Amino acid sequence: MSRFIAGGKSRITVGAALLYLSIILLTFVCLYPFLNVLAYSLSGYNAVLSRRVTFFPIDFNLDAYKQILGRPQIWMAMRTTVLVTLMGTFSSLLLTVIAAYVLSRRNLPGKKAFTVLILFTMYFSGGMIPTFMVVKGIGLYDTLGALFLPQAISVFNFIVMRTFFQNLPSSLEESAEIDGASELQVLIKIILPVSLSILATIGLFYAVGYWNTYFDALLYIQDPDKYTLQLRLRSLLFGEELNNSNANLEGIGTQVMTQSLKMATVAVSTIPILIVYPWLQKYFVKGVMLGSLKG
Amino acid sequence: MCSINDIFFAIFDFVITNAMDNYTYLCNSNTQRVDDMSKSKVASKRVYSKTIRRVWQCKWLYLMLVPVIAYYVIFKYVPMYGITIAFKNYNIFKGITESPWCGLDIFEKIFRSKTLWNAIRNTLVLNFTTLLASFPLTIIVSLMLNEIRVVRFKKVTQSILYLPHFVSWVVVAGIATNLFSLQGGSINNILNGIGFESVPFLSDNGWWIFTYMICNVWKEIGWGTIIYLAALTSVDESLYEAAYLDGATKFQRLIYITLPLIRPFIVTMLILQISRLMTIGLDAPLLLGNDKVAAVSEVISTYVYRLGIENAKYSESTAIGLFQSVVNIIILLAADKFAKITTEEGII
């Protein structure tokens, strides 16, 4: 910047200032909804009642959080979501690694046919109802398995991982095979250790997907005890659940209390993502870049 | 359930025949190639046995692939067989195979219903509005981010801009309904504060489309910049230096150097997005929509859901899904062809 000032082109510095200002404004727009959630969830009863909250909490207190974390349903939903995220990420990663590894091998007869069969599902699928019927037919309905098995492999992630494997030097495998290692040993001992970054990337893609999944839960889960966090959140936000259960007990006040309760629930379900986010971000970006190179 | 057995048999049959076909195809193609080279039957026989030997050598790889194949057969290809119910009067007690065929009756029925055309129109309107806003904005934001020279500032900004992408639609919808509500929503509070009337963001048809668009742009714009930023880093710095020495202003450099260089990316992305105009995620319209704006918020995917799951009209719902898939494939193929003509590279 000093270069331009020395050159006497103050016009450009104004441009730069405008640029930085608009970027700051943009990040504010990105963050404001989150601030609003925090402000609401931390505000006092009267401020929420008269809906004066806009930027900062008024009459700061933690009542909404205390109340929401005191509900056993939230903890159950949290448990379910954590379980689904763990099992789902594990099985997705396992299947994707296998598919990508096998189909990245050079001399496999039928490789092309298998790959085409996988890619085809990206453009054409049975659709909601036939898939629903299959899930029901094999007895997965209303089980946690329905939340991760039906979309265990994402074709996008498969392509990313296969591209990565294909770009590994082939001498890695060849030398291991000369030593008499089996295919599985090659994968576990040679390929995976050098692929940790891509495993992290894809694993995180899957994990966030499972954490945020809500429509599959809406479709396949009936038992309220098996609700995921997002589904519980939905019924709290848009359903009758919260309004009914409280309104009878404490009268009109709770009707308004719900607004800060709702926002506290939003915060509780998003905070885990916010906590891990800074570490994830650089991996995600890498993954998208890899995916954009066509396989 | 007897129907599921039927499905398995049908698919088993299908897969076996297919596998055989593939196999013979493979052998044939190998054979042919060598035939051309040596023109001797002996060689072709040798190659045939060679293929078998190669298949045998790869047996562990095939074995590893079994769970993957099982997954695709059960959850992707069996449902494709289930599409047949779009041509049947599906009876839940008879199952898929036993239900009587009815030709194109179902399609006639759904195409005659106004709701479907309404849903198609809404899908196009919502997607188009979002594209209209998000496409140029994404490019502008990418260009702006690319101009930032303070590395730390750039990194922090990018982190913040990508963040909304990782938030679920339930959360976004929850925040939006609180933020945009007519009485006391923070946006309306701010508008009132600077002297404007309250705006019915969520309850008026036109405003709801706007709100839907804003939510989508907010969620995905930062994430969308990644691909452009990647393209921008590949621009040769020396071009800028040369232009700078020639006295080009920053704006001129942008117009005459940067934009032409990333033009292929822009065209490809545009074609890609246009090819997705008929596809719409179910989460956003379902969660943001409400009874008051049902006339504009009912899109194809939510209609399929309501018809199939809530009203148990399996055949109709599947038929709509199939129609959408077929239209999608046609658009995609057309877009691919178009992309090949304009940028000399396909998108599939």
Side-chain angles (χ1 to χ4, degrees), chain A residues 65-85:
Chain A
Y65 287 93
K66 277 179 201 148
Q67 210 181 324
I68 211 74
L69 293 176
R71 284 165 175 261
Q73 296 107 306
I74 292 293
W75 291 105
M76 257 157 63
M78 188 74 97
R79 202 182 125 254
T80 309
T81 301
V82 168
L83 260 178
V84 169
T85 305

Side-chain angles (χ1 to χ4, degrees), chain A residues 36 109 117 212 230 277 281, chain B residues 62 77 159 166 168 178 186 346:
Chain A
N36 190 260
L117 281 176
N212 282 340
Q230 304 297 334
Y277 176 71
Q281 191 233 334
Chain B
Y62 290 119
Y77 284 91
S159 300
F166 298 102
S168 80
N178 190 40
S186 299

Side-chain angles (χ1 to χ4, degrees), chain B residues 74-303:
Chain B
I74 295 172
F75 292 112
K76 303 289 159 183
Y77 284 91
V78 174
M80 282 183 207
Y81 170 73
I83 289 178
T84 50
I85 64 170
F87 305 94
K88 288 181 166 191
N89 260 325
Y90 180 66
N91 181 325
I92 198 156
F93 299 107
K94 285 185 180 163
I96 296 175
T97 340
E98 295 294 313
S99 293
W101 292 94
C102 66
L104 296 172
D105 286 4
I106 306 276
F107 284 91
E108 249 186 86
K109 204 153 102 191
I110 59 164
F111 286 135
R112 238 186 277 131
S113 93
K114 240 177 150 180
T115 335
L116 175 66
W117 296 111
N118 214 17
I120 292 173
R121 193 203 64 198
N122 290 341
T123 306
L124 291 173
V125 167
L126 289 182
N127 276 339
F128 192 70
T129 335
T130 309
L131 180 67
L132 217 59
S134 74
F135 194 75
L137 273 176
T138 311
I139 296 172
I140 292 171
V141 173
S142 315
L143 292 172
M144 278 162 66
L145 283 172
N146 194 46
E147 289 301 318
I148 297 181
R149 295 282 168 265
V150 188
V151 180
R152 228 195 146 74
F153 180 76
K154 188 174 176 180
K155 274 201 166 141
V156 173
T157 335
Q158 280 175 292
S159 300
I160 294 172
L161 291 179
Y162 300 156
L163 183 59
H165 175 77
F166 298 102
V167 175
S168 80
W169 265 112
V170 184
V171 167
V172 175
I175 298 176
T177 41
N178 190 40
L179 214 53
F180 288 110
S181 78
L182 189 58
Q183 263 108 40
S186 299
I187 300 293
N188 275 325
N189 276 353
I190 296 172
L191 285 179
N192 292 339
I194 51 176
F196 286 100
E197 300 244 318
S198 290
V199 174
F201 286 108
L202 295 161
S203 46
D204 174 79
N205 285 351
W207 279 109
W208 186 84
I209 295 174
F210 174 78
T211 313
Y212 173 91
M213 186 264 290
I214 290 284
C215 290
N216 265 293
V217 168
W218 178 77
K219 197 168 186 296
E220 298 303 336
I221 194 168
W223 193 243
T225 61
I226 292 179
I227 203 132
Y228 290 109
L229 285 172
L232 285 167
T233 52
S234 64
V235 173
D236 190 357
E237 278 290 323
S238 63
L239 288 173
Y240 290 121
E241 279 163 29
Y244 175 69
L245 292 176
D246 285 346
T249 64
K250 242 185 174 147
F251 188 70
Q252 281 172 327
R253 276 177 269 163
L254 183 74
I255 298 293
Y256 295 111
I257 301 176
T258 315
L259 279 180
L261 282 171
I262 62 165
R263 202 187 69 99
F265 274 90
I266 296 177
V267 175
T268 311
M269 291 304 283
L270 187 64
I271 295 171
L272 207 63
Q273 306 226 1
I274 287 174
S275 73
R276 291 190 195 133
L277 275 182
M278 270 285 279
T279 320
I280 192 160
L282 184 141
D283 298 349
L286 194 66
L287 289 162
L288 281 172
N290 55 61
D291 294 341
K292 284 180 194 143
V293 291
V296 289
S297 72
E298 183 80 311
V299 292
I300 301 176
S301 52
T302 56
Y303 184 48

Side-chain angles (χ1 to χ4, degrees), chain B residues 16-35:
Chain B
I16 289 295
T17 3
N18 244 23
M20 294 301 280
D21 282 354
N22 278 331
Y23 184 63
T24 33
Y25 164 74
L26 215 121
C27 298
N28 283 342
S29 68
N30 269 337
T31 322
Q32 220 117 50
R33 221 171 296 144
V34 178
D35 248 317

